[in-house]
Amino acid sequence: MLPKLASLIEDSLCSNSSLSIDPSLLAHSIQGTEGLDNFSDKQRSLLAIITLSQVSEIKVLLDLANQCATDEELAFSLYPISTGNNWGYGTSQPAGLSKTIILLDLGNLTNISHFDSELGLVTIEPGVTQQQLSDYLIAHNHHYMVPVTGAGPSCSILSNALERGYGITPYTDHFSAVTSIQGFWGNGTPYQSAVNELDASEEKFVDKTFKWGLGPYLEGLFTQSNLGIVSQMTIRLAKVKPDFTSFFIQMDDDGLLEKVVPLIRQVLQDYEGIVGSINLMDQRRLLSMFAKNPNGYDAHKVMLNKDINVLAKDLKAPCWTVVGSIYGSRRVVKAVKKEINDIFKQLPCKRVYSNSPAIFIANKLIKHLPTPLINRIPTLSKIAEQLDSFNKGKEIMLGKPNKVALKLAYWRHKDAESFDKNTLSPGKDGCGLLWYAPLIIMKAKKMREFVEFIRETCPRFNIEPFITFTNLKHDCVDSTIPIVFDLSNPKAVNDAHNCLKALVEEGLKKGFVPYRLNIDQQQWLLNKDSDFWRTVNQLKMSLDPYNILSQGRYNPR
Ligand SMILES: Cc1cc2nc3c(=O)[nH]c(=O)nc-3n(C[C@H](O)[C@H](O)[C@H](O)COP(=O)(O)OP(=O)(O)OC[C@H]3O[C@@H](n4cnc5c(N)ncnc54)[C@H](O)[C@@H]3O)c2cc1C
């Protein structure tokens, strides 16, 4: 970096903010799970990293970038990240390939500037993580849930909503729960809603209570885009209900998929607001949560049916598992549990509830047994491990973040066993992971077509076909297929990318369209000449005419 540019930037930063240009630190900071560097000649690099300590500096830096944009020597662009844990979609790497990208790390902006305990509205800065919000709610005795995801405690709440991510607490769709945004467009113009601009009261609060504002809805332009930087966001939190149970419907016959889909839809339609989202997982996906990889973690091959049968028998893993949750008063939970039991009992299945006496007793027993004894007896330690995962899954549904889901990313990591499960961080730990996350119409026939498509395609590339369906509503399912591979094996990296490409390209022909893309797909899949992306580019030219923000992010040009 030119000394002149470095001093221009340093002069515009507060004393607690920093500019780093150390090459090894820069390279380390953009270590991703995606294996993009190994796969193609598209090397990503950074000019520098700026870590901010005050929100006001965002505008200063945008202004500086715009001023320098026409100077051949000083021109640079900014790529904001909040916590940079976008594992499988890019981690903390910039989407663009230019050599003059500065990563703008907003992770130290962790102020929770406003919380209304009557209404459950919280206003947060970009760096506020799931864990920080959880600690805040507990410390202040606020009975609201964190909108947690499987990505866990170290991830930003704000950026997950900007990615339009989702979880399995009652407000599943995280951007839906965003009521207000403030930020800056790429050209440096501040953004607040028209409602906030008109509001002449001292408290200026009403904007935080109403998502749609007044006039054209512009806040969506901050999501899956490169038009602006969000400096604060207000989110509606779901209240902790007096009672709760999760339900696990286990089916031992793969052929029951067609029968169970209409029942899931019925539950979602009939108990909307009481039942949160519902997940449907296949046997291999379930085994990835509880079993050790029978091939050894560095083998680049899928499990054989005989391995699956042995593991499934050992761990009592069914062919399909429906996982959902019921939130409400004691009487409501009791009544809906009964209804749900009646609905699913039409099928040959086992129904397990987290509030059942059997689970309660098992937890009590395990808690009171000495750890050395549990470790000595394999059956006991297996039960203890399964109960632990079960309890952690339940915590997630109750809005308490944890790392239980991260284990998946280590399925093909040759040192999988050596990591402390409390400090897992797939990017830093060298895990190989990409996501295929297409939308599917919630109809049994279409879902079966998808299952067959995944089971046929993934093994061709030695990728384990792990299947999860998450209901975003009763009419739409998002399937998240994790493409887990050994990042240290060039063939595995190549196969993983070719697998994803095949899934996307073949999937589009069948109507399976991704809801979210990784930074590489954002370059090759989107057609800059289509009506949609030409319109996006017109907006870009107006809001960020010098293209100084998040080059290439959801924006083919
Ligand atoms: C095992 C596993 C389970 C997962 N489960 C889930 C899940 O349940 N749900 C889910 O949604 N995801 C899930 N993920 C994917 C991903 O890890 C999460 O979505 C994660 O929260 C995204 O990372 P982040 O919050 O650190 O975002 P960041 O990396 O900080 O941000 C993501 C992108 O948003 C943009 N951005 C960030 N901050 C700003 C800002 N202030 N202004 C403008 N643009 C900004 C940037 O372009 C950035 O690249 C999972 C990943 C793994 C490995």
Side-chain angles (χ1 to χ4, degrees):
M1 172 181 266
L2 285 179
K4 187 175 169 195
L5 179 57
S7 76
L8 276 174
I9 291 174
E10 271 166 345
D11 289 349
S12 57
L13 296 178
C14 308
S15 58
N16 290 335
S17 301
S18 66
L19 170 75
S20 318
I21 52 169
D22 171 12
S24 63
L25 182 96
L26 300 187
H28 185 69
S29 302
I30 52 169
Q31 206 176 313
T33 65
E34 300 78 13
L36 293 169
D37 279 4
N38 325 25
F39 173 63
S40 63
D41 52 359
K42 296 179 203 155
Q43 302 287 321
R44 284 172 171 80
S45 63
L46 295 177
L47 187 62
I49 300 177
I50 299 174
T51 307
L52 293 190
S53 60
Q54 285 184 24
V55 161
S56 58
E57 295 169 290
I58 297 175
K59 165 133 179 82
V60 177
L61 282 170
L62 284 171
D63 289 344
L64 181 65
N66 278 292
Q67 280 156 26
C68 294
T70 49
D71 184 315
E72 247 175 56
E73 286 196 324
L74 298 179
F76 68 94
S77 71
L78 294 166
Y79 197 89
I81 54 162
S82 289
T83 40
N85 293 333
N86 205 6
W87 298 308
Y89 295 109
T91 310
S92 52
Q93 301 164 95
L97 301 171
S98 142
K99 302 282 170 228
T100 55
I101 298 173
I102 298 183
L103 198 71
L104 187 60
D105 182 352
L106 307 175
N108 286 349
L109 305 177
T110 54
N111 193 21
I112 299 178
S113 60
H114 185 265
F115 185 82
D116 188 291
S117 58
E118 273 177 281
L119 304 179
L121 294 167
V122 66
T123 303
I124 51 174
E125 287 183 351
V128 174
T129 61
Q130 295 179 26
Q131 190 60 52
Q132 284 166 350
L133 182 57
S134 176
D135 293 346
Y136 176 90
L137 295 174
I138 292 168
H140 294 86
N141 215 9
H142 296 315
H143 297 288
Y144 289 93
M145 289 183 219
V146 176
V148 291
T149 66
S154 65
C155 295
S156 158
I157 307 270
L158 178 149
S159 55
N160 187 265
L162 289 185
E163 277 281 87
R164 303 208 290 259
Y166 58 84
I168 49 172
T169 50
Y171 297 163
T172 318
D173 172 351
H174 291 161
F175 184 63
S176 281
V178 174
T179 53
S180 163
I181 279 180
Q182 289 193 17
F184 303 90
W185 300 115
N187 60 17
T189 307
Y191 171 82
Q192 61 173 321
S193 74
V195 166
N196 220 30
E197 283 187 351
L198 283 173
D199 186 348
S201 70
E202 212 173 292
E203 62 191 332
K204 271 188 168 283
F205 185 27
V206 74
D207 164 66
K208 297 189 198 312
T209 66
F210 184 59
K211 184 174 177 76
W212 305 112
L214 183 74
Y217 181 71
L218 299 186
E219 296 189 3
L221 294 181
F222 285 97
T223 71
Q224 293 196 355
S225 79
N226 65 352
L227 304 173
I229 299 183
V230 175
S231 54
Q232 70 165 53
M233 184 181 265
T234 301
I235 297 174
R236 192 175 275 148
L237 301 180
K239 206 165 167 52
V240 174
K241 304 292 187 291
D243 199 10
F244 163 88
T245 185
S246 48
F247 54 88
F248 298 78
I249 313 296
Q250 305 177 331
M251 289 154 290
D252 274 333
D253 175 0
D254 191 76
L256 285 175
L257 176 72
E258 281 80 351
K259 296 235 164 68
V260 81
V261 168
L263 301 186
I264 296 174
R265 192 168 50 231
Q266 183 189 343
V267 170
L268 287 164
Q269 284 180 311
D270 291 355
Y271 304 104
E272 200 174 350
I274 299 170
V275 171
S277 75
I278 294 184
N279 268 5
L280 176 62
M281 279 182 281
D282 79 345
Q283 192 168 47
R284 282 181 195 251
R285 179 67 184 88
L286 202 70
L287 289 174
S288 74
M289 294 164 70
F290 299 118
K292 291 190 166 59
N293 186 339
N295 291 328
Y297 290 94
D298 55 351
H300 181 48
K301 59 180 180 189
V302 298
M303 290 184 276
L304 298 173
N305 282 343
K306 70 173 173 41
D307 297 328
I308 304 232
N309 292 341
V310 172
L311 286 175
K313 198 164 165 221
D314 189 29
L315 296 165
K316 301 198 175 23
C319 288
W320 290 107
T321 308
V322 177
V323 185
S325 39
I326 310 172
Y327 305 88
S329 65
R330 276 192 70 187
R331 278 187 292 183
V332 165
V333 170
K334 194 172 168 203
V336 174
K337 179 177 163 184
K338 187 170 177 310
E339 298 272 313
I340 286 178
N341 206 50
D342 288 348
I343 289 173
F344 286 110
K345 119 178 144 191
Q346 301 171 44
L347 302 180
C349 65
K350 191 169 162 202
R351 299 171 298 284
V352 179
Y353 297 88
S354 64
N355 68 354
S356 71
I359 298 284
F360 180 80
I361 291 166
N363 268 318
K364 272 243 140 119
L365 276 176
I366 291 289
K367 201 170 152 202
H368 285 99
L369 286 175
T371 315
L373 177 73
I374 296 176
N375 292 343
R376 239 188 359 256
I377 304 173
T379 322
L380 264 186
S381 64
K382 222 178 290 163
I383 293 175
E385 209 177 311
Q386 283 198 5
L387 261 182
D388 185 50
S389 299
F390 181 86
N391 293 334
K392 292 217 167 91
K394 182 180 145 189
E395 279 178 14
I396 291 188
M397 293 182 211
L398 284 168
K400 296 177 193 157
N402 64 50
K403 296 199 170 201
V404 71
L406 288 182
K407 192 178 162 208
L408 168 71
Y410 296 73
W411 181 256
R412 291 263 176 99
H413 193 306
K414 59 178 180 307
D415 302 319
E417 303 277 5
S418 68
F419 294 99
D420 175 350
K421 62 181 177 190
N422 298 310
T423 58
L424 299 180
S425 184
K428 291 195 185 88
D429 294 344
C431 298
L433 171 72
L434 289 159
W435 291 105
Y436 173 50
L439 301 165
I440 300 149
I441 304 163
M442 172 80 184
K443 293 200 175 176
K445 200 166 155 233
K446 209 65 202 167
M447 289 168 71
R448 171 60 75 188
E449 185 186 348
F450 182 78
V451 167
E452 281 169 4
F453 169 54
I454 297 297
R455 288 182 180 164
E456 187 272 322
T457 310
C458 290
R460 278 203 275 132
F461 300 90
N462 302 308
I463 297 297
E464 202 70 67
F466 293 136
I467 300 177
T468 305
F469 292 112
T470 304
N471 275 96
L472 299 179
K473 277 273 166 206
H474 65 272
D475 46 10
C476 180
V477 192
D478 181 53
S479 176
T480 35
I481 305 295
I483 298 180
V484 190
F485 57 97
D486 176 1
L487 193 61
S488 67
N489 173 353
K491 170 155 171 46
V493 177
N494 218 36
D495 275 359
H497 281 268
N498 287 331
C499 179
L500 180 58
K501 201 157 189 192
L503 288 170
V504 171
E505 287 179 345
E506 294 301 309
L508 290 178
K509 293 179 202 154
K510 298 171 188 292
F512 306 136
V513 182
Y515 94 103
R516 184 169 167 186
L517 299 175
N518 72 46
I519 52 175
D520 186 48
Q521 296 171 309
Q522 290 166 21
Q523 315 296 311
W524 64 261
L525 185 66
L526 309 177
N527 174 4
K528 68 177 176 11
D529 298 320
S530 75
D531 291 342
F532 183 89
W533 293 107
R534 274 195 302 123
T535 309
V536 171
N537 265 318
Q538 283 165 352
L539 289 167
K540 179 73 174 169
M541 279 187 271
S542 163
L543 295 170
D544 181 14
Y546 295 116
N547 193 20
I548 54 107
L549 196 62
S550 301
Q551 292 173 358
R553 173 167 158 81
Y554 286 99
N555 186 351
R557 345 218 261 178

